Amino acid sequence: MSIRSRVFVRTGSLRTPLNVALLLVALAVSGCSAAMMRAPEPDVTRQQEPRGFAYAPLAFNLDLSVLAYQPYTQTLVWPFDPFYEEFAQPDGDRGKVLQSVRAWARGMGARQRQSPPPLGGYRGPGAIAGFADNPSSDPIIYRYDKLFPWRPTIFNPSGRWTEYTPPAEIVGRVSDVYMCYRRTGRPEGDVAVRHVVTNQQTARNGARDVLLAFEGATGDKGEPGQPASQSLMGFVLLRFDPDSSEYDAHIAFRGSRSGSALRAAVKANFTKTASGNPDWITDLGWYRIGPDDGASQITTTGSVHRGFMMSMIQTLPQVFACLDHGAKLAGSRPPRHIFVTGHSLGGGLAQHFVSAVLLGNKYGPDGAGRAMPARLRSWPWTSIKLISYSAPRAGDALWAATLTERALQSEAFNTVFWPVDLKALTAHDPSILPRLADPSRPAGYRVLVTTDPITTEKVIGGKHVGKTIYANRFGRLAPFTLAKPETHEPEVVRSLLLKTLDDPAVPAAPVRYREMTEINPGRDQGKRGTEDEFIKLLSALERFNANGGYRFDASDLRKDFEVFLSLVRASKQN
């Protein structure tokens, strides 16, 4: 029986749990916090950062988590409207456009299977790469040959520009980028590792770091007829010491991206008929399953969130292909440290990755499983460091406690009656840096804001992994404050962290939001979804990229834009 079948047998008849409804309500509610008591702060001076970090490790790993969104954004073929939100107005044709794109994807998939293109060609829905297809998922289209992580990037997810500016302290040391993806028309586990680009400028300046991006899968809850879609899910960064052959391995998973969060949540929340944004389908794959029902790759103890589990099982081959290739580039020398991080969905996936290595029965336990590549067997898996940000609960109490206390040798927060961890650390606690620098012990930390509804303990269901670190001030009144959905966003977590860390080496925020008219002054909101308005959006993207001084192929963007317009025109004829 397949994993998907085993999952369905156990969970297919269950109803939506109460905590799903409560969380969806929490996401829609924003309130003002009551005054909170200030938590005690240790009297410490700022300590020297461990080797391998450009600045304070908690800020550095959060920036890696944000950076995981940036290459994903770069690979979007239609960044001016990747989720088709320009057609979502009351009299818009979003549904017809989606049908047109799906039909195009099926035809493109047939052509790509006959002659597989470099770097996988167009990717996204299963049909476009010759995999099992889910016509209920939104067809979001990618191309991995667009990767150039040194360049700032903007895209329009839902009527507002999101801009990512990668910190020079990180990408300025990267010389080469690789992409690890499932080969077109081939089964799971058949992975290609392809070199994408060398940055000649950073290489001339002595850069030695390597970034290996990996493809993953979202949109599969384990239900029959609901296979995943593919997209870039994160990266491995090999960060070398400037004066030696020693290096650290950083593994970062991206969080969810969507247009309308409300529509995505409502459509994805069904079990047998989930539809819409693939990331949200994975997010809302709430049911927990154990090793006997298909979760043994992730854990042999307790039960885990099946949406994250299905995503991770289909992403693991690409992650380990990246790691194995990275080990080859490093002369098969193991790294000093392995750090794993991610924000939101990325935090849930980071937990499942660490669990697969330490508690699973394929790559684990303790990194010694039968599927672990030979070059990686000597890596320091048993001293792995997990740092998640704004992460949801990814499994039950038994799994979370086992992973936190036994495998990561960290303190778990597990209570029924009090939703705020009064033993939580502040960001400058003197115990954090030595623990992250210790090559002999693992560590697990979860960084969050007490008012974040995604990380809440105020509703029943599952437990968190890692020792708690609150980015904001907290106290005994914290359990009675209202949820503030905006505190889930990485830039809010970062600003709160920086107030505590007080590290002048931390660079400017790597993400910010801009109003549409700031980049596209001629925008006419009343004509959204028309060809004229899309031409304006295209011109805005071209101007932004032309002003950045980085390599950018405007003709390539225009070629994909013409494909988009042809599909829009076709949708109007149906």
Side-chain angles (χ1 to χ4, degrees):
M1 184 181 291
S2 68
I3 290 173
R4 185 173 289 105
S5 298
R6 289 199 297 270
V7 173
F8 178 69
V9 168
R10 187 65 175 265
T11 65
S13 61
L14 296 178
R15 295 184 178 181
T16 303
L18 176 62
N19 64 308
V20 175
L22 290 174
L23 183 55
L24 292 176
V25 171
L27 285 170
V29 175
S30 176
C32 297
S33 297
M36 293 185 290
M37 295 174 60
R38 181 173 176 172
E41 296 180 356
D43 184 16
V44 295
T45 57
R46 220 168 51 82
Q47 305 171 30
Q48 183 178 2
E49 314 301 355
R51 288 186 301 168
F53 295 103
Y55 42 91
L58 292 183
F60 183 85
N61 278 278
L62 177 55
D63 286 353
L64 289 181
S65 299
V66 174
L67 183 60
Y69 289 105
Q70 192 248 1
Y72 164 85
T73 301
Q74 281 195 328
T75 62
L76 290 164
V77 171
W78 299 318
F80 44 82
D81 187 23
F83 309 114
Y84 313 100
E85 289 297 333
E86 296 293 298
F87 303 101
Q89 62 268 34
D91 58 344
D93 294 323
R94 186 175 186 272
K96 291 182 178 180
V97 172
L98 293 179
Q99 291 177 5
S100 182
V101 175
R102 290 186 184 111
W104 169 81
R106 289 192 295 271
M108 180 58 67
R111 293 191 291 275
Q112 292 189 151
R113 286 195 301 275
Q114 292 177 356
S115 180
L119 286 167
Y122 290 104
R123 310 289 283 193
I128 205 169
F131 309 145
D133 188 62
N134 183 356
S136 295
S137 291
D138 291 349
I140 306 167
I141 310 298
Y142 310 89
R143 271 180 47 192
Y144 301 144
D145 58 347
K146 292 178 175 288
L147 273 175
F148 195 80
W150 303 272
R151 184 180 65 240
T153 304
I154 59 169
F155 80 121
N156 165 33
S158 183
R160 184 172 66 163
W161 297 106
T162 301
E163 178 182 357
Y164 293 104
T165 304
E169 291 81 354
I170 298 175
V171 297
R173 290 179 40 169
V174 174
S175 62
D176 288 271
V177 174
Y178 293 79
M179 186 69 210
C180 310
Y181 59 94
R182 179 179 165 187
R183 290 204 293 172
T184 300
R186 306 302 286 269
E188 290 180 22
D190 190 331
V191 181
V193 181
R194 299 287 184 263
H195 183 262
V196 181
V197 64
T198 297
N199 187 327
Q200 299 296 337
Q201 180 177 349
T202 60
R204 283 193 301 269
N205 293 336
R208 300 167 55 205
D209 294 356
V210 179
L211 189 147
L212 304 102
F214 52 81
E215 183 179 66
T218 58
D220 184 351
K221 290 185 180 184
E223 296 291 330
Q226 294 187 26
S229 297
Q230 285 69 42
S231 64
L232 193 151
M233 288 304 299
F235 61 82
V236 172
L237 175 66
L238 303 185
R239 190 170 172 84
F240 288 86
D241 278 354
D243 303 318
S244 75
S245 60
E246 291 190 318
Y247 70 100
D248 293 332
H250 298 267
I251 306 168
F253 294 90
R254 74 165 176 87
S256 308
R257 296 288 83 178
S258 70
S260 166
L262 179 60
R263 182 184 64 239
V266 170
K267 295 180 70 173
N269 193 39
F270 297 96
T271 298
K272 296 182 180 180
T273 58
S275 62
N277 183 272
D279 289 353
W280 278 77
I281 294 173
T282 288
D283 287 332
L284 298 181
W286 295 95
Y287 297 130
R288 294 192 295 272
I289 65 170
D292 292 340
D293 295 305
S296 59
Q297 284 192 45
I298 305 301
T299 183
T300 56
T301 302
S303 60
V304 291
H305 180 295
R306 67 168 178 162
F308 298 159
M309 182 208 76
M310 294 300 299
S311 176
M312 182 50 55
I313 286 176
Q314 296 173 73
T315 304
L316 283 170
Q318 289 79 250
V319 180
F320 281 106
C322 280
L323 292 168
D324 187 48
H325 193 77
K328 180 181 177 182
L329 295 174
S332 298
R333 180 187 180 95
R336 278 182 318 222
H337 301 287
I338 307 168
F339 297 95
V340 184
T341 193
H343 171 261
S344 192
L345 164 64
L349 296 177
Q351 295 172 46
H352 275 222
F353 175 82
V354 171
S355 182
V357 170
L358 298 182
L359 303 181
N361 66 1
K362 184 173 182 180
Y363 297 95
D366 295 334
R370 67 190 186 281
M372 183 63 71
R375 268 189 289 257
L376 304 181
R377 290 181 177 274
S378 62
W379 278 34
W381 297 111
T382 55
S383 60
I384 198 168
K385 311 296 194 295
L386 168 68
I387 309 173
S388 69
Y389 296 87
S390 306
R393 291 169 289 184
D396 70 0
L398 174 60
W399 169 77
T402 303
L403 182 56
T404 300
E405 296 173 342
R406 193 190 83 193
L408 295 174
Q409 299 176 25
S410 300
E411 183 180 13
F413 172 52
N414 190 343
T415 178
V416 176
F417 302 107
W418 202 252
V420 174
D421 186 354
L422 295 180
K423 295 182 180 180
L425 303 179
T426 54
H428 60 11
D429 189 282
S431 68
I432 297 172
L433 299 186
R435 185 64 180 272
L436 292 176
D438 188 345
S440 67
R441 296 183 66 195
Y445 294 107
R446 52 181 291 256
V447 183
L448 66 147
V449 179
T450 57
T451 51
D452 179 356
I454 301 297
T455 64
T456 184
E457 291 278 353
K458 297 181 182 180
V459 293
I460 299 171
K463 291 296 174 182
H464 289 286
V465 170
K467 174 65 178 175
T468 307
I469 300 175
Y470 286 135
N472 62 319
R473 308 284 173 82
F474 66 97
R476 296 186 182 279
L477 294 182
F480 308 106
T481 57
L482 296 177
K484 300 177 69 176
E486 65 270 21
T487 59
H488 181 71
E489 293 301 311
E491 69 273 18
V492 176
V493 179
R494 193 178 193 271
S495 66
L496 292 169
L497 271 179
L498 296 193
K499 290 179 182 178
T500 301
L501 292 172
D502 189 28
D503 184 350
V506 178
V511 60
R512 64 172 172 161
Y513 302 106
R514 295 190 180 199
E515 295 305 316
M516 292 297 289
T517 51
E518 183 179 355
I519 306 294
N520 182 20
R523 179 174 174 82
D524 186 339
Q525 181 72 12
K527 296 181 180 179
R528 286 175 57 197
T530 64
E531 285 195 27
D532 286 345
E533 288 302 304
F534 278 120
I535 290 171
K536 292 179 185 178
L537 287 169
L538 177 71
S539 297
L541 281 168
E542 290 177 329
R543 286 193 300 271
F544 176 87
N545 286 286
N547 292 335
Y550 295 87
R551 187 193 76 168
F552 177 71
D553 190 342
S555 63
D556 193 62
L557 176 62
R558 283 191 168 266
K559 181 183 72 175
D560 284 332
F561 179 73
E562 290 302 324
V563 173
F564 180 83
L565 284 188
S566 71
L567 298 176
V568 173
R569 292 164 184 155
S571 70
K572 297 181 183 300
Q573 298 172 2
N574 295 332

